[in-house]
Each structure stands twice: as structure tokens, then as C-alpha cells.
Amino acid sequence: MERHIQMFLKRLSYVSITIGTITFILLLLKTPDTCVAPDSPPKPHLRFPKSSCDSSPRELLPLHKKNKRLWSTKTWQNKVQSFSNFFRACYQMGLLHNDSKVLCVSAGAGHEVMALNQLGVADVTGIELLDSPPLVSRADPHNLPFFDDVFDLGFSAHFAKAMFPNRFVSEMERTVRAGGVCVVVVDECGDEEVREIVDLFANSSFLGALNVTLTGLRMTRIIMKVQHLP
């Protein structure tokens, strides 16, 4: 009896192995063209890879089309609007005018640059380690490629990410004219943290600090008036 059972199990294992082998071979011979359902509406502008080895390059969008797509998103527009509200306060304080020359340091993708342009400030320069044309050019915030006393206002919403805060601040001061202002925005902080940042500005006087909301975040705005002290 046991012998018959062993023979049956052995035959069953042979059959299972045979079925598995045939199935595997069929899978190798037939690779699906697409994972889209057969009854899906035709989309001739889409091309699906015929196999995992199909590495044809994707079509690259021209820069102007890529920017148009990015700038039309709700997220982008909301951030630009937030920066516009922020800079309107600078207008009201007399720190910013349409003929001001503005430098945006560590400008990211350029939300603040676009906001300033839309408000009527024509001469705006945005710099970042990685460029985002046409709004932001590539430059090192710790070694700005500008002459002294070029700008009326220096701005940064990403000062907290500076690798060398002292150098970052000194370059902002150097490029802003005497009587101009440096405006930095950091995560919301108290008087002690504000004083630590203010002390980094060796050639400027403290005008004030205020808690604000920028791009949906609670931040602290610090304004310094450049004096170029000896």
C-alpha cells in the first residue's frame, strides 16, 4: 500500500514539474505589449514598451513648454501669491520700489523672482546652486559673482540652509549698497534666535523682526539696513 502511494506521489510531482516548465516557457515566448485593457479607448500618442529591454528615450519637452506646465500648477501659483503678499508689505514700508534692484539669494525654483516681476519690479536677479532658467541663474550664495553695492535689496527665504551662515551674510551685505536692506526669512523663532542672526550682519543695523506666514509656513522676517561700517 505504501509503495503505491509513493509511486502516485512521484508521478504527481513529475506532472507538476512538467506543467510548471511548460508554463514558464510560454511566458518567455509571449511578452504582453501593454498592460492596458484591450477594451480601453485608443491613444495613438502613447507608445508602450514591448519588453523590459525596450529602452527607447522619452520625448523631452522644450524648456518653455516645461515651464508653462510648471507655472500653471495650483501649487506654483499659490506660492507666488504668498511671496507677492510678502513683498507688498516691503512696498508699504518703503523698502521696495518698482525701480529697485533686487537680489534673491538661494531662490530655489524662482517663486519670489516671479512674484517681484508680477508686482512691477523689473530688475530682479535670482541665484541658486542649480539654475532654473529663465528665473534663476546658477551661482554660489557664498561667493556671489557681483560687484560691491550693486543691489538695493537682498532677500533670502532659505538662509537657514546656508552651509556657512557668516559667509552667506557677508556676501549679501557686500552686494547691497549702503542704505539698502537685507531681508531674510527663517523658521519662526524667538528673540534669542533673532539676535544670533542679527549678530552675523557685521555691516548692518537691525530694523526689526516680525512673525509672518509665507507659503503656508510660520516664519520670522528679519530686516537689516546695510551701512558698510568700517
Side-chain angles (χ1 to χ4, degrees):
M1 183 68 178
E2 293 181 358
R3 181 180 178 186
H4 289 296
I5 294 176
Q6 290 177 355
M7 292 179 63
F8 173 76
L9 293 176
K10 184 178 296 185
R11 290 174 181 175
L12 183 62
S13 63
Y14 287 153
V15 172
S16 300
I17 293 173
T18 302
I19 293 174
T21 302
I22 293 174
T23 302
F24 179 70
I25 293 174
L26 291 175
L27 289 174
L28 291 178
L29 294 176
K30 176 60 178 177
T31 302
D33 292 337
T34 175
C35 56
V36 177
D39 56 347
S40 297
K43 296 181 179 180
H45 63 287
L46 296 180
R47 190 183 71 83
F48 295 91
K50 294 182 178 180
S51 72
S52 59
C53 297
D54 186 358
S55 59
S56 301
R58 296 181 179 180
E59 180 182 0
L60 296 178
L61 285 177
L63 180 60
H64 70 281
K65 289 187 176 181
K66 180 180 178 182
N67 285 336
K68 184 178 180 180
R69 179 180 296 181
L70 173 64
W71 297 344
S72 64
T73 63
K74 195 65 175 177
T75 299
W76 177 275
Q77 293 175 357
N78 287 342
K79 288 186 176 182
V80 171
Q81 183 60 47
S82 182
F83 275 105
S84 295
N85 296 336
F86 177 89
F87 288 122
R88 284 193 185 96
C90 295
Y91 270 95
Q92 294 169 1
M93 290 184 290
L95 304 177
L96 180 64
H97 309 278
N98 283 357
D99 59 353
S100 297
K101 294 183 178 181
V102 180
L103 172 65
C104 296
V105 185
S106 294
H111 300 93
E112 52 266 68
V113 177
M114 179 173 286
L116 287 163
N117 288 155
Q118 292 180 354
L119 288 174
V121 183
D123 194 339
V124 185
T125 302
I127 66 98
E128 181 60 274
L129 288 174
L130 296 176
D131 62 346
S132 297
L135 298 175
V136 180
S137 301
R138 183 171 61 183
D140 184 358
H142 304 90
N143 187 25
L144 296 174
F146 308 111
F147 293 114
D148 299 350
D149 308 325
V150 175
F151 301 99
D152 301 301
L153 186 147
F155 171 77
S156 181
H158 302 286
F159 169 70
K161 298 180 181 179
M163 296 180 62
F164 307 101
N166 284 288
R167 181 65 179 173
F168 188 101
V169 165
S170 66
E171 282 294 275
M172 284 188 70
E173 287 184 310
R174 178 184 65 79
T175 56
V176 173
R177 64 172 177 80
V181 293
C182 292
V183 181
V184 296
V185 182
V186 297
D187 293 339
E188 189 175 63
C189 59
D191 293 342
E192 184 176 347
E193 292 85 354
V194 169
R195 177 52 56 187
E196 291 178 358
I197 296 173
V198 169
D199 289 343
L200 296 174
F201 287 84
N203 296 310
S204 302
S205 59
F206 177 58
L207 290 185
L210 181 70
N211 291 337
V212 299
T213 299
L214 184 61
T215 64
L217 303 174
R218 292 295 298 170
M219 313 286 282
T220 297
R221 181 194 68 198
I222 301 173
I223 303 176
M224 306 295 299
K225 185 173 183 179
V226 178
Q227 297 178 331
H228 292 306
L229 301 174

